[in-house]
Amino acid sequence: MDYIAALFPPTVMAVAFIGVIVTMVKSQGGANKYKEDAAVDAALAARSADTDAGEAQATGTS
């Protein structure tokens, strides 16, 4: 019976880990992918615009 008590926690953790990985893989792609890509693109564009504005202000050009 001790071997069951010793193997139970790692088995539960392995099953939980596999469940987390499966959930992560399933959530990638589809409609969510386009929303995530659009959010990243918007953030990069905003950062690029801020950087360009800061450089123009520092150099005195417009």
Side-chain angles (χ1 to χ4, degrees):
M1 268 321 226
D2 287 339
Y3 62 90
I4 292 175
L7 292 176
F8 185 71
T11 305
V12 170
M13 291 301 292
V15 170
F17 181 73
I18 290 169
V20 167
I21 298 301
V22 167
T23 301
M24 288 172 57
V25 169
K26 283 185 177 181
S27 69
Q28 300 300 312
N32 291 336
K33 183 177 193 285
Y34 299 112
K35 288 194 301 187
E36 292 171 2
D37 289 347
V40 170
D41 289 342
L44 290 175
R47 182 172 181 187
S48 177
D50 289 344
T51 303
D52 292 344
E55 288 175 1
Q57 186 179 16
T59 60
T61 60
S62 48

